[in-house]
Amino acid sequence: MEEKTETEKMVRVYIMGREFEVPATLNIVKAFEYAGYRFIRGIGCRGGYCGACATVYRFKDDYRLNFTLACQKAVEDGMYLTILPFVPAEKAKYDLDKLKPRGTVLLELYPEIARCVACNTCTKACPQELEVMDYVQAAIRGDIEEVANLSFDCIQCGLCAMRCPAEIVPYNVGQLARRLYGKYIAPQAKLTHERVEEIHACVFDEELDNYIELAKEDIEQLKKIYVEREIKVG
C-alpha cells in the first residue's frame, strides 16, 4: 500500500469533548467546519485581524493550557480545544474629547491595573506575542505613549483578560492609551488635514461621479473602455 501523502494525513481532535478525525492541513476554524460545526456569528476575518476566534486547547497528559487564534493555528493530533468568540469584560465609559492625556488618566479609569502582580500570565496568553505585562506596568506609571506603542498590534481577543489573576482587562487599557495617543500626543500629519479639507470642499466629487457612472456599465462596455484607455496611455 502506498504511503499517504501529506494532504491525506488525518489527526484526532476533541471539540467540546467529542472526538473527530480531520485533515492535518486544516487550521482550527476549518477543522470545526470539517467536523460539522457552523459559525453563524463571531468568526470574522479568518485572517488573524479581528480577534474573534480566541482558542484554548490542551493535549492529553499535558497540564498546560495553550492559547491561539483558531484561524492562525493548524490542528495537531490529540488537541482538546474550544473557541471562545467573546470574553466578558467591562469597559470604562468616557468621552475622549473631555479627557486629557495626563499621567493618571489610565489609572483613574482602570484602577484595577494597580493590582498587577507582574506574573506575566497575560503576555504568555497573547496570540500576538505582545508584551502585555509591560504595557500594563507602563499604564501604572502613566506612560501613555509606551502603552500605545506596546499594545499597537492588539486585536482585542480577550485572552489576556481571561488569564489575569488580578482581573485586569489589559486590552481595554491599551485601547484607551492608543486613542489618547492618537488624539493628543502623536504628531499630526499635515497632508491628511489637507486631504480632508479637499474632501469637504468637494474637490473629488466629479471624479467620484465618473466612477459611479462607470460602475453602471455592462461588462462588455467596461472591457471596451479599458482597452481604449490602455491604447491611449500606451
Side-chain angles (χ1 to χ4, degrees):
M1 180 182 291
E2 290 185 2
E3 189 174 340
K4 285 188 175 181
T5 63
E6 187 68 26
T7 56
E8 293 173 321
K9 287 183 179 178
M10 307 292 284
V11 294
R12 291 173 299 105
V13 297
Y14 299 86
I15 301 173
M16 310 300 181
R18 292 183 59 194
E19 181 180 336
F20 297 92
E21 275 201 348
V22 300
T25 54
L26 300 182
N27 63 29
I28 294 172
V29 170
K30 292 180 180 178
F32 266 70
E33 292 173 325
Y34 184 93
Y37 287 84
R38 291 180 59 210
F39 295 108
I40 58 174
R41 63 175 60 88
I43 301 299
C45 68
R46 293 176 178 259
Y49 297 101
C50 74
C53 61
T55 299
V56 179
Y57 66 94
R58 271 194 172 108
F59 293 101
K60 186 177 181 180
D61 300 325
D62 189 346
Y63 72 92
R64 287 172 296 186
L65 200 59
N66 302 287
F67 309 91
T68 190
L69 297 177
C71 64
Q72 297 292 291
K73 177 70 175 175
V75 289
E76 297 179 43
D77 192 57
M79 266 186 169
Y80 288 79
L81 50 84
T82 188
I83 295 177
L84 306 171
F86 174 74
V87 176
E90 186 176 359
K91 185 175 74 171
K93 294 180 179 179
Y94 51 82
D95 183 340
L96 195 61
D97 291 327
K98 295 180 181 179
L99 291 182
K100 299 298 179 184
R102 58 184 183 277
T104 58
V105 66
L106 299 177
L107 194 58
E108 289 169 3
L109 287 168
Y110 292 102
E112 63 272 17
I113 62 177
R115 297 199 299 259
C116 178
V117 295
C119 66
N120 214 32
T121 305
C122 52
T123 298
K124 293 176 181 177
C126 180
Q128 294 289 83
E129 299 183 349
L130 302 183
E131 295 296 334
V132 183
M133 185 195 75
D134 287 355
Y135 80 67
V136 171
Q137 291 293 314
I140 296 172
R141 298 193 304 271
D143 192 340
I144 294 172
E145 182 173 353
E146 180 74 354
V147 179
N149 289 332
L150 290 177
S151 69
F152 184 80
D153 288 323
C154 174
I155 52 176
Q156 312 284 113
C157 70
L159 286 170
C160 57
M162 188 182 74
R163 292 293 287 162
C164 178
E167 300 177 338
I168 298 167
V169 185
Y171 64 88
N172 279 341
V173 179
Q175 182 185 68
L176 173 57
R178 294 192 300 277
R179 287 173 172 172
L180 288 168
Y181 179 74
K183 184 173 179 63
Y184 296 108
I185 301 173
Q188 297 298 310
K190 178 183 176 182
L191 293 179
T192 300
H193 287 289
E194 289 180 0
R195 182 52 55 88
V196 170
E197 289 178 4
E198 288 176 341
I199 292 171
H200 285 311
C202 304
V203 172
F204 307 103
D205 281 11
E206 183 179 351
E207 186 175 350
L208 289 171
D209 288 340
N210 290 337
Y211 280 117
I212 293 171
E213 292 301 316
L214 195 62
K216 296 177 182 178
E217 300 287 355
D218 60 49
I219 189 67
E220 293 304 320
Q221 182 62 19
L222 288 174
K223 288 179 180 179
K224 181 180 178 182
I225 294 171
Y226 179 81
V227 171
E228 289 175 350
R229 287 188 176 181
E230 189 177 46
I231 294 172
K232 185 177 180 181
V233 172

